[in-house]
Amino acid sequence: MCGIVGAVDFDAPPEQRRELLQAMTDTMACRGPDAEGLWFGSWAAFGHRRLAVIDPEHGRQPMTASHQGRGATITFAGEIYNFRELRAELTTLGHEFRTACDTEVVLRGYLQWGTALVERLNGMYAFGIWDERAEELLLVRDRMGVKPLYYHPTRAGVRFGSEPKAVLADRSLPRRVGAEGLCEVLDMVRTPEAAVFAGLREVRPGQLVRVGRGGVRRHTYWRLEAREHTDDLPTTITTVRELLADTVERQLVSDVPLGTLLSGGLDSSAVTALAARSGPVRSFSVDFRGAADGFAADAVRQTSDAPFVRDLARHVGADHHEVLLDSPELTDPAVRAAVLRATDLPPAYWGDMWPSLYLFFRAVRQRVTVALSGEAADELFGGYRWFRNPLALRAATFPWLTSGSARYFGGRSLFQQGLLDKLDLDGYRAARYAEALTEVPVLPGEPDTERRMREIGYLNLTRFVQTLLDRKDRMSMAVGLEVRVPFCDHRLVEYVFNVPWTMKSFDGREKSLLRAAVADLLPRSVVERVKTPYPATQDPGYESVLRAGLARLLRDPDAPVLPLLDLDRARSVADRPIGAVSRPYDRGSLELVLWLNSWLAEYEVTLDL
């Protein structure tokens, strides 16, 4: 895993941009702590920071190669899981390799097949290729958007990078946020290609972007498609098992220490158990100190992770490590500053989970460089309650933003009503929802119920999951940890997306299909466990520290978020007694205000509303 940056200017030699390119590359130091490289071509310049995972001794980037008179240079981030097969094919076609890394396979694949290369890749990736003869930049992002990639067109070219901060290192680009950008911050709609900052765009998952003298052209090389599912239930269960087993095996390839992230839930336990079939496995779980003994069930967390984690670790013989966090660490200013630097945006959802995930990944990184995660299984197999909530299924909006779920994703209660009316958040949400529904592929003759469940699945796989993948990527790469996501393998996604809902839920439970596919690998306690989300602190002292932070903010006349707030309501929250605990939605608003204020200040954001 790495961090990539680049600049194209058709009106000036790139050598004149050396200082800029170095500044852009420096922003990616956390993503690539092992090596740095710069490259300057005719009209393009690339930077690269490397986290060495495959062939650590070689594979330095940016990398240049030529074949039959055609030359190209690449800056690459990610992993290609079928690179060995592609390498063998390219060797038979006359290519001679200098390294054993997947980056050279991608580069030579482009020289051989051009943009058709992307249809052959299995992996998580974001890369830029400069074609010297065509004088054209190619930007490519993986099908599910596991790896991020941003770009900003300029008068004479483009800037691009793995994160917004890389692009914004060009101080000639405005750090301006308009009404739609602020809507993206305040509401959990996660519009593809939207990147909050004016002029900045995110390469959409499954998208290829070309930048040449004629401007920017975008092409979708992969999207979810509706296909008739003809397999019976036993065959479907077997196919899911085979696809997942193959995916996990491919993703175990690494020349550096590797482990798994284990919660004791079905998804991460399946990944860990399959990994254990290939050899000894190290696993890692996270919890708060004392939480296992003093756990109190709530509306979404019925059980503590700890006993299920231990059952699974014993069952597969994992070398397991429990990471125990102290709640006060979550409000450590240094930790919160690191989280904000990693995200480039206010962490608007699951406020305490961002710093806790950062701390967890930081501890994991002390032992391994690569970890496999169970992320995306809930979106793919129907693990969330809204997949089975009739009110959510009938609602004309994103299912996670209906009553019963919306209170856990952000919060508006501390913002001025005048601001909310001006932004028209409800109208923005409705427009984005309608826009998303127009993308959903149609299977002719599909029953209405199945059609609706296909829509729900599509929304989860193209919107909701992206928020989780972003969080995972930013927090892991902030500490130089590569996290792989087997459930985002496009072969598995394509297959399961087209399995009828009646088959996905054949036993009436969440993730019926996945449970049946992996039950024989797991202890009975894990198989029967009801889905439980990532741990959150239950320490009332955490919220007390947040409210104290709000009180300090309200006393600061220069706090940039003040003009956006309902000051009377904010003061009432700040003045609550020590130990008082808000409803989840109110705490979400408290979290958002604090993060938003820090972001506006640190990033010198100009709001253009």
Side-chain angles (χ1 to χ4, degrees), residues 67-88:
H67 183 69
Q68 296 181 348
R70 185 180 190 183
T73 299
I74 188 171
T75 183
F76 175 88
E79 302 294 341
I80 304 300
Y81 303 126
N82 63 335
F83 79 97
R84 289 173 174 167
E85 298 98 308
L86 294 175
R87 178 189 174 100

Side-chain angles (χ1 to χ4, degrees), residues 327-328 331 537-547 578-581:
S327 289
T331 53
T537 180
Q538 296 184 327
D539 181 1
Y542 172 73
E543 186 175 326
S544 295
V545 174
L546 296 182
R547 288 203 301 273
I578 295 175
V581 179

Side-chain angles (χ1 to χ4, degrees), residues 15-41:
E15 278 285 354
Q16 296 180 10
R17 303 286 190 183
R18 178 174 289 274
E19 185 175 339
L20 167 63
L21 193 69
Q22 185 64 64
M24 294 174 67
T25 304
D26 288 346
T27 67
M28 297 289 96
C30 288
R31 297 185 76 93
D34 297 329
E36 175 185 290
L38 303 178
W39 169 83
F40 297 88

